[in-house]
Amino acid sequence: MESTLGLRERKKAETRQAVHEAALRLVVEHGLDAVTVESIADAANISRRTFSNYFSGKEDALLYGEEQRILTLVVRVRAQPEGMPAWQALRVAIEELQREEGEPEREWALRTRLAKRHPSLLARQLANHAALERDLSAAVAERFCPVSPQVLAAAFLVGLRLATHVWTEEEQARTLREVIDETLDQIAQPFA
């Protein structure tokens, strides 16, 4: 029974990921307004009803990957050794996540970011970022922190967003990890 539940959960996760990837690909290619739930379901090779079992709309399907990375980052921060200072726990967690996911393609990241500038996605993204900030604050609250956990979590997330923006816009051949490290190092200087 346990292996059946494991298989069932794996299949659900695979379906969610396939729907998310189909939504992202279609939105990057055609724009959010031109993409329907039906077209996403067709591209993911599932029915409209199955789509509805996983997501409430195309926006949910599109932002699924981002939400999963958010959850994974929070889990990774909480998993760091108990005595590790808050900033170090955040840095180690993002490094682990980057190693696991690998280096993204610059062009794909740029097109994805542009596709997500649609007004119907902005409110949802802001809510996701507010939830992440709250969850990261809670994850580092018990650790040594030279400022409030809320300030540290917000500064860390601003650093990640700024680094990603710089990386997608620059012409240099630096990796995203290099840009994130440089940006987070600059943010940490006043706390060192």
Side-chain angles (χ1 to χ4, degrees):
M1 177 96 171
E2 194 171 309
S3 65
T4 304
L5 288 177
L7 177 62
R8 182 178 297 149
E9 292 307 312
R10 258 195 331 271
K11 292 269 190 200
K12 286 181 179 180
E14 289 169 2
T15 300
R16 278 188 187 92
Q17 186 63 31
V19 173
H20 163 66
E21 289 172 6
L24 190 55
R25 182 175 38 75
L26 290 172
V27 168
V28 166
E29 290 172 4
H30 306 288
L32 185 66
D33 290 332
V35 175
T36 64
V37 167
E38 289 76 12
S39 63
I40 296 169
D42 288 345
N45 202 27
I46 60 171
S47 70
R48 169 68 170 89
R49 182 174 179 197
T50 300
F51 179 98
S52 297
N53 290 337
Y54 290 96
F55 298 106
S56 63
K58 62 185 177 182
E59 293 83 4
D60 289 337
L62 187 62
L63 295 175
Y64 173 75
E66 180 178 297
E67 291 169 358
Q68 291 308 297
R69 281 188 296 284
I70 288 168
L71 294 173
T72 302
L73 179 60
V74 172
V75 167
R76 293 280 170 92
V77 170
R78 288 191 171 121
Q80 299 310 310
E82 192 174 304
M84 186 180 282
W87 187 256
Q88 186 180 357
L90 290 165
R91 296 286 301 262
V92 170
I94 195 66
E95 287 171 12
E96 290 174 357
L97 191 58
Q98 287 178 309
R99 266 195 312 275
E100 182 180 298
E101 292 184 348
E103 188 70 16
E105 295 177 29
R106 189 181 310 267
E107 281 304 307
W108 182 257
L110 179 59
R111 290 186 319 212
T112 301
R113 193 166 54 91
L114 292 173
K116 289 182 177 179
R117 288 187 176 173
H118 197 277
S120 68
L121 293 175
L122 290 178
R124 177 70 186 274
Q125 283 183 298
L126 288 174
N128 284 350
H129 293 166
L132 173 58
E133 191 174 303
R134 181 191 65 238
D135 293 347
L136 281 179
S137 295
V140 299
E142 301 299 318
R143 298 176 181 275
F144 169 75
C145 189
V147 295
S148 78
Q150 294 85 0
V151 169
L152 193 71
F156 180 77
L157 293 174
V158 165
L160 293 181
R161 284 191 292 272
L162 177 61
T164 302
H165 175 74
V166 167
W167 177 76
T168 57
E169 299 293 330
E170 74 180 5
E171 300 280 328
Q172 299 176 21
R174 296 189 298 167
T175 66
L176 177 57
R177 185 172 181 171
E178 290 170 331
V179 179
I180 286 175
D181 285 346
E182 178 184 291
T183 304
L184 294 178
D185 286 347
Q186 290 177 27
I187 290 171
Q189 283 179 356
F191 305 125

